[in-house]
Amino acid sequence: DAGVIQSPRHEVTEMGQEVTLRCKPISGHDYLFWYRQTMMRGLELLIYFNNNVPIDDSGMPEDRFSAKMPNASFSTLKIQPSEPRDSAVYFCASRRTGGFGGYTFGSGTRLTVV
Amino acid sequence: DQQVKQNSPSLSVQEGRISILNCDYTNSMFDYFLWYKKYPAEGPTFLISISSIKDKNEDGRFTVFLNKSAKHLSLHIVPSQPGDSAVYFCAASAYSNYQLIWGAGTKLIIKP
């Protein structure tokens, strides 16, 4: 079991550019979550999917953020255009139905927008 | 509106002593609570959990206590070891909703 895989690990981009973060959940996990961690706000849930369907995107900060899950093994979080205030660590997590303690996080993508 | 609060951003404890990390919540609908541990450059990992039907859950050196009337939970680590140095997140959820609401985290530093 390779765990939740996120790419890239680090991303530095210029303001206004499009950024795409990628996540491969654990096979068999039917929930996928995108989180953002900042010093000011801690861990914020951005959006989560169940069986590839977005269930709650109320945490997505604004229309510049979008997320997709085209299949059970892949999800993307896109920011277009990026702004310096988007700089944060973005985590993807997955779990199986019923597994409260079974959230498995990826190692995160550290995004810096300059 | 912070529903889960960890009021201590950091805590320093001598190796071998007890570490106590605290967490308060405001939503009375929460009925399941978890602690996660996070090392730098890694994602959080699950540590221990407790259901609202219990007031204590123990796993080795880690014990979580829940005081429902005070809406307070705490994580005790005894004895503390250098490898326990990490950021600890408290999270809460209701069985009816699979979302976890997270605290801001407490950075635990174990001094040799």
Side-chain angles (χ1 to χ4, degrees):
Chain A
D1 186 351
V4 176
I5 300 172
Q6 290 186 250
S7 63
R9 287 300 306 273
H10 302 274
E11 177 80 38
V12 180
T13 190
E14 291 186 348
M15 183 174 64
Q17 296 297 306
E18 177 179 298
V19 176
T20 300
L21 312 181
R22 297 172 177 79
C23 175
K24 177 179 168 54
I26 290 176
S27 177
H29 282 193
D30 51 350
Y31 280 85
L32 183 140
F33 303 83
W34 281 101
Y35 282 90
R36 176 170 69 175
Q37 184 187 16
T38 63
M39 291 294 293
M40 293 295 293
R41 301 171 71 96
L43 268 173
E44 296 177 272
L45 176 65
L46 301 177
I47 185 172
Y48 78 94
F49 296 83
N50 178 218
N51 292 322
N52 313 336
V53 176
I55 302 301
D56 185 350
D57 65 354
S58 59
M60 297 285 259
E62 47 200 274
D63 292 345
R64 298 184 297 106
F65 285 68
S66 62
K68 293 182 180 179
M69 192 164 186
N71 56 62
S73 59
F74 184 66
S75 177
T76 60
L77 178 68
K78 186 176 293 186
I79 309 172
Q80 165 64 16
S82 58
E83 297 181 3
R85 60 191 168 123
D86 301 330
S87 297
V89 181
Y90 291 80
F91 288 103
C92 176
S94 70
R95 71 164 182 81
R96 200 184 305 271
T97 295
F100 275 97
Y103 275 61
T104 302
F105 282 80
S107 297
T109 295
R110 180 174 293 277
L111 174 65
T112 303
V113 183
V114 298
Chain B
D1 175 26
Q2 273 189 295
Q3 298 187 64
V4 178
K5 298 178 185 178
Q6 294 178 257
N7 291 319
S8 298
S10 66
L11 175 68
S12 187
V13 174
Q14 201 74 34
E15 181 179 357
R17 299 290 186 103
I18 183 171
S19 295
I20 300 176
L21 296 96
N22 293 305
C23 178
D24 297 291
Y25 62 96
T26 57
N27 190 338
S28 58
M29 297 299 292
F30 289 148
D31 49 18
Y32 199 82
F33 305 90
L34 307 91
W35 286 94
Y36 279 74
K37 177 179 179 179
K38 184 185 179 303
Y39 291 119
E42 295 182 13
T45 55
F46 171 72
L47 186 60
I48 192 169
S49 64
I50 188 166
S51 164
S52 60
I53 62 173
K54 303 174 102 174
D55 54 19
K56 176 182 173 182
N57 189 27
E58 194 171 351
D59 183 2
R61 297 185 298 113
F62 302 90
T63 303
V64 57
F65 295 92
L66 176 62
N67 182 333
K68 289 185 288 295
S69 60
K71 292 191 177 68
H72 176 83
L73 64 155
S74 60
L75 174 68
H76 293 212
I77 306 173
V78 56
S80 300
Q81 298 175 354
D84 297 329
S85 294
V87 176
Y88 290 79
F89 289 97
C90 170
S93 182
Y95 277 113
S96 60
N97 179 341
Y98 285 120
Q99 284 191 40
L100 289 182
I101 307 300
W102 297 81
T106 296
K107 184 175 183 179
L108 176 65
I109 301 165
I110 305 301
K111 299 178 293 185

